[in-house]
Amino acid sequence: MDIDVLGALAVRENGISITPTAPKPRQVLALLALHADQVVPVSALIEELWGGLPPRSARTTLQTYVLQLRALIATALEDTDGSSRARTAKDVLVTLPGGYLLSSGGGTSDVREFDRLSGMGYRAMDAGDFPGAARLLREALALWSGPAFADVQGGVQLDMETRRLEETRLCALDQRIEADLRLGRHRELLAELTVLASRYRTHENLHGQFMLALHRSGRRGEALDVYQRLRATLVRDLGLEPSGALRRLQRSILMAGPEGAGVAAGAAAGVGVGAGVGAGVGVGAGEAVAGGVRVERLVRA
């Protein structure tokens, strides 16, 4: 079975789609597919479908949706000559005490592959292998074709999982940008960071990286403008001042003076922030949390 949820939902058995078009069976399959090879409790499925007000017939209706999914699976399991494979629909979508399990049969899952690649990328970062980290995290992020479950009308459970997955994406994105900054790719990052800073208006990590990329590109004034816009947004929307680490980054850029040729060429010598700078830059309430900017290391890179 091949499972894709990082974008539109697509579940294939024997190369044939088993994704229903009806909204509620689609929700059931989405939750089962995300937790493939794990038991999903009946209570979680009922909460996903009806929230805190399930009908009296909730369990019976859920069983009907499961039967509809099994019918799609059975069709996909048939050989081209019409004979059935050894694996049956009940072997794929299994009823177990307390819930249901979707058996992937050792197939692919974009979420699992994302977790594998991003985990390898984080370990490469910790080991100082920035080219390897950038490559692995870029491959992980390439698995995303849009928001998770983009074409599924989610309930409580799927909405929560969508937010969780988006947070993991932002963490990987943050670390990939950090790796690229360490490799001197600040100019290549400017277009991407322009979009990200606009999309995540109170995300301090991304704004700090944007400031650094601008400064290293010889655009000190614009880097300071980014800080002022972020500060105005934080104060207006959340009643917060920027974090200490971001304020220190701003001061380091102010004290650096007009950019010389070295900075314009990508060198960041003389911009270093003191060793006491915290490893992480906080984000505003309501925004997904990404990994720390590690401003002091980035500036010195």
Side-chain angles (χ1 to χ4, degrees):
M1 179 177 291
D2 300 317
I3 298 170
D4 294 325
V5 304
L6 302 180
L9 176 66
V11 184
R12 297 170 298 278
E13 177 66 37
N14 192 27
I16 300 170
S17 174
I18 61 169
T19 311
T21 55
K24 288 196 178 295
R26 198 176 183 87
Q27 281 178 267
V28 173
L29 180 62
L31 199 56
L32 291 170
L34 178 63
H35 299 291
D37 303 312
Q38 302 175 45
V39 177
V40 178
V42 167
S43 59
L45 290 163
I46 288 176
E47 183 183 36
E48 166 61 24
L49 292 168
W50 296 287
L53 297 171
R56 291 184 179 180
S57 60
R59 285 180 176 267
T60 302
T61 305
L62 175 59
Q63 290 169 357
T64 300
Y65 298 151
V66 169
L67 289 175
Q68 292 174 10
L69 292 174
R70 282 182 176 151
L72 290 169
I73 294 168
T75 301
L77 287 171
E78 291 182 354
D79 285 324
T80 53
D81 61 4
S83 62
S84 295
R85 292 176 178 266
R87 208 156 89 117
T88 67
K90 287 188 176 182
D91 296 326
V92 177
L93 180 44
V94 186
T95 302
L96 292 169
Y100 296 95
L101 179 148
L102 187 68
S103 173
S104 68
T108 65
S109 164
D110 59 355
V111 169
R112 290 178 183 174
E113 182 65 3
F114 172 79
D115 288 342
R116 184 185 73 84
L117 288 169
S118 59
M120 291 171 63
Y122 298 146
R123 290 190 290 274
M125 284 290 292
D126 290 340
D129 177 12
F130 304 124
R135 175 181 56 80
L136 288 163
L137 291 167
R138 191 168 280 107
E139 289 179 16
L141 291 163
L143 294 168
W144 290 71
S145 60
F149 306 109
D151 58 350
V152 179
Q153 185 179 345
V156 174
Q157 292 284 328
L158 281 180
D159 285 349
M160 177 181 64
E161 293 292 352
T162 298
R163 291 193 297 271
R164 178 184 68 81
L165 289 168
E166 176 64 10
E167 183 172 327
T168 66
R169 187 188 71 84
L170 280 173
C171 287
L173 181 62
D174 173 84
Q175 290 296 287
R176 197 225 80 218
I177 292 172
E178 180 173 346
D180 282 338
L181 283 170
R182 287 170 174 268
L183 293 169
R185 297 171 178 165
H186 37 276
R187 286 189 178 84
E188 294 93 322
L189 289 169
L190 288 177
E192 180 182 14
L193 284 168
T194 298
V195 174
L196 291 171
S198 176
R199 182 177 301 163
Y200 302 101
R201 297 181 304 112
T202 60
H203 197 300
E204 294 193 2
N205 289 12
L206 293 171
H207 282 77
Q209 291 169 329
F210 191 18
M211 290 166 62
L212 190 59
L214 284 166
H215 177 74
R216 288 184 176 178
S217 300
R219 296 162 66 175
R220 176 171 169 260
E222 291 173 67
L224 295 172
D225 284 344
V226 168
Y227 176 85
Q228 293 300 334
R229 287 197 299 271
L230 172 64
R231 181 182 180 277
T233 301
L234 288 173
V235 170
R236 182 184 66 247
D237 294 353
L238 302 173
L240 297 173
E241 289 286 341
S243 66
L246 202 64
R247 292 197 301 270
R248 283 188 285 271
L249 174 59
Q250 182 228 15
R251 287 198 298 271
S252 73
I253 294 173
L254 279 168
M255 292 185 297
E259 298 82 6
V263 173
V271 189
V273 178
V277 176
V281 174
V283 297
E287 295 289 342
V289 180
V293 170
R294 294 186 172 89
V295 171
E296 75 286 358
R297 295 189 305 167
L298 283 171
V299 170
R300 291 170 176 164

